[in-house]
Amino acid sequence: MARRDPHMTSRGPAAPALKGGGWHRLGNALKTTVLLAGLTALVLVIGQRLGGAQGLAMAGLFAVVMNFGSYWFSDRIALAIHGAQPLAYEQAPWLHEMVERLAARAGMPKPKVYLLPTAQPNAFATGRNPSHAAVAVTAGIVDILDRRELEGVLAHELGHVRNRDTLIGTVAATLAGIISYAAQMLFWFGGSMLSRGDDREDGLAGALSNLGLLLVAPIAATLLQLAVSRSREYGADATGAELCGDPEALASALLKMERSAEAIPYDRAPATSHLFIVNPLHRGGVMSLFSTHPPIPERVRRLREMSARMGQGARGRSGWEYAY
């Protein structure tokens, strides 16, 4: 099959590349800095509690190494964790062309395309910047979504790449995981510290302090991660809707994928669940308070308001036919 012009779509010539977004990316950079500073500080505090001055030094070195590794190898780490495999152009030329058109619209290089071997319809993007990005879709996504809806999903993921969200997500997951693990170490191997006294503090005060840290550290790490994850989903929804020009398509896709997540849970690597467009670890009730994703009904409401402002609500709901 001959390759299409990446600047052509089934609706005619593609619109010019998106402009602007500088303030959004600047805000994202600030969030990343604050997140890294906060989580790294928690790592250092836990390290000091675990081993005093020596533990503090080791924790500092560990935080530097993990930050460096997360920045340079975030895409490889996330893809390897989920067993993602490169999707050859010959396997799905229409999908590659869809990604290529959206990337051209966003004014960035075409990301690599990967396939996850799971039946749950979902997708995520990773990579430290638009020049080193990848988009991964699950095997089940083409069974649930039509191509109009899938374009909305891919536009959302490219929105993450364009907004520099992918780096934030991976670093947040890595450091939050480190803090939770360190807190567990404090619980299982820090028994002697919970009962000892020294020149700095008496035994009871030290015990209470360490127990407080044990409880607060993972909660603080999770809250920081949730704050970044939830806000970035709204931003990627808006950017993705602008990229594909069809907010209703993304809204429809979100509703379908949420229902499928309930029927086909995907619990591989829970620490990376916030990378996906829809939470693969769907939980109801109280657990929804700790979800890394904002509520789907609120995301759909915002997208449909955007669709109404664009004057495309009726056309979006009736659907477009694609000539692939």
Side-chain angles (χ1 to χ4, degrees), residues 176-195:
I178 291 171
I179 291 170
S180 299
Y181 180 70
Q184 292 177 22
M185 289 179 61
L186 180 62
F187 178 78
W188 293 110
F189 304 109
S192 60
M193 288 184 291
L194 295 178
S195 60

Side-chain angles (χ1 to χ4, degrees), residues 267-289:
D267 59 0
R268 186 168 181 173
T272 65
S273 62
H274 66 281
L275 297 178
F276 289 84
I277 184 172
V278 171
N279 188 0
L281 310 170
H282 183 80
R283 297 289 184 272
V286 176
M287 289 306 295
S288 63
L289 297 176

Side-chain angles (χ1 to χ4, degrees), residues 101-300:
R101 287 195 305 273
L102 290 169
R105 170 81 170 119
M108 65 187 193
K110 174 180 175 288
K112 298 177 182 177
V113 182
Y114 285 79
L115 182 69
L116 271 66
T118 176
Q120 185 189 94
N122 224 319
F124 72 86
T126 185
R128 63 182 182 271
N129 56 44
S131 297
H132 301 85
V135 173
V137 297
T138 65
I141 200 167
V142 295
D143 296 329
I144 299 296
L145 306 183
D146 60 35
R147 292 186 180 179
R148 170 178 160 253
E149 293 165 336
L150 181 56
E151 184 176 48
V153 169
L154 292 173
H156 169 99
E157 297 306 331
L158 266 65
H160 276 310
V161 176
R162 187 175 188 271
N163 296 341
R164 307 300 198 275
D165 291 334
T166 49
L167 177 61
I168 298 176
T170 305
V171 171
T174 301
L175 291 183
I178 291 171
I179 291 170
S180 299
Y181 180 70
Q184 292 177 22
M185 289 179 61
L186 180 62
F187 178 78
W188 293 110
F189 304 109
S192 60
M193 288 184 291
L194 295 178
S195 60
R196 77 182 181 193
D198 53 32
D199 295 337
R200 295 170 297 171
E201 55 193 6
D202 58 46
L204 179 60
L208 293 176
S209 177
N210 282 310
L211 285 173
L213 180 63
L214 173 64
L215 295 174
V216 170
I219 294 174
T222 301
L223 290 177
L224 285 169
Q225 186 180 356
L226 296 184
V228 172
S229 298
R230 288 192 171 210
S231 64
R232 76 193 186 107
E233 289 303 321
Y234 288 130
D237 283 346
T239 302
E242 186 179 359
L243 277 175
C244 68
D246 187 6
E248 181 62 31
L250 178 55
S252 176
L254 290 174
L255 291 172
K256 286 185 178 181
M257 288 190 291
E258 182 186 37
R259 290 193 294 268
S260 296
E262 297 176 356
I264 313 172
Y266 178 67
D267 59 0
R268 186 168 181 173
T272 65
S273 62
H274 66 281
L275 297 178
F276 289 84
I277 184 172
V278 171
N279 188 0
L281 310 170
H282 183 80
R283 297 289 184 272
V286 176
M287 289 306 295
S288 63
L289 297 176
F290 300 95
S291 172
T292 54
H293 295 68
I296 294 295
E298 175 61 19
R299 294 172 69 181
V300 169

